[in-house]
Amino acid sequence: MIDLHALEAALDRARPLVLGHGGDIEITDITREGVVHVALSGACRACPNLAMTFVGPVRSYLMAVPGVSEVRCEQVKAGPRALSRLANLLHAHPYPVA
Amino acid sequence: MKDGMFVFDAAVHCQDFSDGQIKDGSDGRRVRILREQLTGFINLTGRRGPPPEPETFSDPDLDWGVDMLFGKADTDMACACSVPLFSHWRAGLGPVELSHALAQKDPARIVLTGGVDPVYHGLGPALKEMERQVHELGAVSFKFYQYQSRGCAWRADDRDIAYPLWEKAMKLGIKMVQFHKGFPLELGPVEAFKPNDLQYAAADFPELNFGIHHLGDPYVDETISIASRFENVYLILPLWFNQYYLQPYKMLQRLGEALLYVGSDRICYGSEAFIWPHVQTYIDTLANLVMPDELQDKYGYPEITREMKENILGKAFARGMGIDLEAKKRELGLV
């Protein structure tokens, strides 16, 4: 079970980073399995750096919340190999290759 | 259907390159140049496939065309796309009446994309012609070439020349207008086909979809950037396939960029038939396409999933055109 207050607090850590670049972030869905779906808006929507923003701060902060099993963002089109590589380079929360 | 995937070919042309298209008083040079260019292109890019059939890409036999699309290939639907280039062509390079004739050969499977030019013919006649093509010929989309000859060009964001076209299209129930971008034909200047003018148009007409053909080559980066920012911009792939056989890695990079920044739900298969009539080659290529590990690792491109292939082969274009694919499948007895 995800602590929604903790989840919101985690999101509040990431939000200033994207607000500072003209974007924003919201949680669009939380599944019973603990998968959190997020959507980025504003300037983030078509930003070439979207994958890095997602796999770096956004996913890492949210994955640290107890009960969160995965974080997904449909706007991120990069493949798992690329996201895994990014996560390694950023020392972010590890991203599964498959 | 290809392995259960609906195949909707967004770009089939009935073009006429014959000398009969040379206008009175013209030396015919432009007609001959384009004919030679396209023949050369086919010979160059088709060299990995079966021998080209140059006699079939000009004024094709329509029954033969239908057979190439639906009999000899897994195509389920196709869009007969007019080519409204008028300056040097008596009836336009791809006459709308010829495209209509093809559509009439199998109206359940072939939809018509008409074509007008608001500068060459004047805005008033172009608007009237749009009405005629919709009401009399059944056009469900329009294709635009924004350069006819020196001094005869226009932009999609021109409020006086272009916006009335988009307003008329919406009034006529059209969901998508399409554009030849990049890849200048015969002696036209390449910059006349930059995709940049679509940005304000797409922003000002969010209910209308804007299809860009050919990835705007050579303005591929601009095209992908624009499509990534405007959700009503679709990328239509004719010529990508033709070039793939010559330059597979380069084309995979282009597709990878489009998948990464735009997504498969706005990328559409188009064969450019009947320039290369063996369209099953393209369908098989796309159905079996794999993004090499090296490109995934070095450029961040995604693996090409079945869902992506399904989108590209048909779903994306159907959605952009406002066609209910499930209803169409039932109509065609495919489910």
Side-chain angles (χ1 to χ4, degrees):
Chain A
M1 193 69 178
I2 300 173
D3 179 341
L4 294 179
H5 290 293
L7 190 64
E8 200 54 47
L11 201 63
D12 283 345
R13 288 182 69 196
R15 183 172 279 120
L17 300 173
V18 292
L19 283 174
H21 287 247
D24 202 352
I25 182 170
E26 63 171 334
I27 291 170
T28 55
D29 192 27
I30 302 171
T31 71
R32 282 183 190 170
E33 293 75 29
V35 178
V36 177
H37 291 260
V38 299
L40 287 140
S41 55
C44 292
R45 261 185 52 240
C47 177
N49 227 17
L50 178 64
M52 186 169 159
T53 303
F54 168 70
V55 89
V58 172
R59 184 171 174 277
S60 294
Y61 292 157
L62 298 188
M63 285 297 284
V65 175
V68 174
S69 61
E70 188 49 270
V71 182
R72 297 213 172 110
C73 176
E74 280 191 14
Q75 296 151 295
V76 175
K77 307 289 196 309
R81 295 169 71 103
L83 295 176
S84 179
R85 176 166 49 79
L86 262 177
N88 285 338
L89 287 169
L90 297 171
H91 304 294
H93 190 97
Y95 193 95
V97 175
Chain B
M1 302 276 274
K2 172 67 182 176
D3 302 334
M5 297 183 282
F6 191 94
V7 179
F8 193 168
D9 189 334
V12 171
H13 298 299
C14 283
Q15 296 172 327
D16 185 353
F17 300 90
S18 65
D19 283 347
Q21 282 271 42
I22 298 171
K23 282 181 161 181
D24 293 339
S26 161
D27 62 6
R29 187 167 69 113
R30 301 297 182 106
V31 171
R32 280 194 291 274
I33 286 173
L34 183 53
R35 187 166 62 210
E36 285 161 14
Q37 276 184 349
L38 286 172
T39 304
F41 182 80
I42 292 164
N43 285 330
L44 181 67
T45 59
R47 62 188 175 187
R48 287 191 182 182
E53 301 172 27
E55 72 281 9
T56 62
F57 67 78
S58 179
D59 195 12
D61 176 272
L62 300 180
D63 290 317
W64 168 87
V66 167
D67 187 49
M68 292 308 288
L69 288 171
F70 305 116
K72 292 192 167 56
D74 293 326
T75 315
D76 296 299
M77 274 189 82
C79 188
C81 214
S82 304
V83 184
L85 277 174
F86 299 107
S87 272
H88 308 287
W89 308 83
R90 194 184 290 276
L93 174 56
V96 66
E97 308 293 348
L98 193 53
S99 300
H100 171 62
L102 177 68
Q104 286 304 296
K105 286 287 177 184
D106 197 341
R109 291 179 182 272
I110 309 177
V111 293
L112 173 66
T113 288
V116 300
D117 191 297
V119 172
Y120 187 79
H121 289 124
L123 180 58
L127 294 173
K128 276 190 182 169
E129 178 62 8
M130 285 175 77
E131 283 185 10
R132 184 189 78 86
Q133 291 182 12
V134 169
H135 294 140
E136 293 181 20
L137 306 182
V140 297
S141 181
F142 285 94
K143 176 105 179 267
F144 297 95
Y145 286 68
Q146 296 161 274
Y147 175 92
Q148 297 288 346
S149 59
R150 207 170 292 195
C152 187
W154 54 281
R155 290 176 58 94
D157 57 3
D158 187 314
R159 289 172 184 268
D160 298 321
I161 296 291
Y163 280 20
L165 300 177
W166 316 146
E167 286 159 4
K168 174 65 77 178
M170 291 177 70
K171 205 170 173 183
L172 290 168
I174 302 293
K175 303 293 182 202
M176 180 189 283
V177 289
Q178 303 173 51
F179 299 82
H180 177 102
K181 287 296 188 186
F183 195 66
L185 295 170
E186 41 98 21
L187 301 180
V190 65
E191 64 272 20
F193 296 100
K194 284 181 94 163
N196 305 31
D197 61 328
L198 292 181
Q199 295 170 97
Y200 284 144
D204 289 342
F205 292 87
E207 304 301 318
L208 189 61
N209 293 324
F210 293 78
I212 302 179
H213 287 241
H214 317 308
L215 290 175
D217 187 4
Y219 305 108
V220 178
D221 289 345
E222 289 94 327
T223 300
I224 290 173
S225 165
I226 290 165
S228 76
R229 289 179 292 116
F230 296 95
E231 290 178 4
N232 55 338
V233 172
Y234 284 67
L235 302 176
I236 304 172
L237 292 180
L239 292 188
W240 182 91
F241 287 93
N242 311 64
Q243 289 170 272
Y244 173 80
Y245 301 107
L246 180 66
Q247 297 178 292
Y249 238 62
K250 184 174 177 179
M251 292 302 116
L252 280 166
Q253 273 186 276
R254 288 183 176 181
L255 182 63
E257 291 286 314
L259 287 169
L260 183 59
Y261 293 122
V262 181
S264 62
D265 55 347
R266 285 188 285 128
I267 300 175
C268 315
Y269 160 66
S271 70
E272 202 75 78
F274 300 101
I275 285 178
W276 186 258
H278 308 283
V279 298
Q280 187 62 30
T281 311
Y282 301 136
I283 296 169
D284 290 340
T285 295
L286 187 52
N288 297 315
L289 206 59
V290 172
M291 186 61 74
D293 289 349
E294 186 187 1
L295 289 179
Q296 292 186 51
D297 289 338
K298 289 185 175 172
Y299 294 93
Y301 303 149
E303 201 177 335
I304 303 174
T305 64
R306 179 183 167 89
E307 184 189 358
M308 292 177 189
K309 291 174 182 176
E310 230 173 341
N311 277 334
I312 297 171
L313 275 173
K315 278 185 170 177
F317 191 60
R319 189 167 67 89
M321 293 279 278
I323 291 171
D324 182 342
L325 209 54
E326 294 311 311
K328 200 69 192 175
K329 283 182 191 171
R330 287 194 294 276
E331 182 191 334
L332 297 175
L334 297 173
V335 286

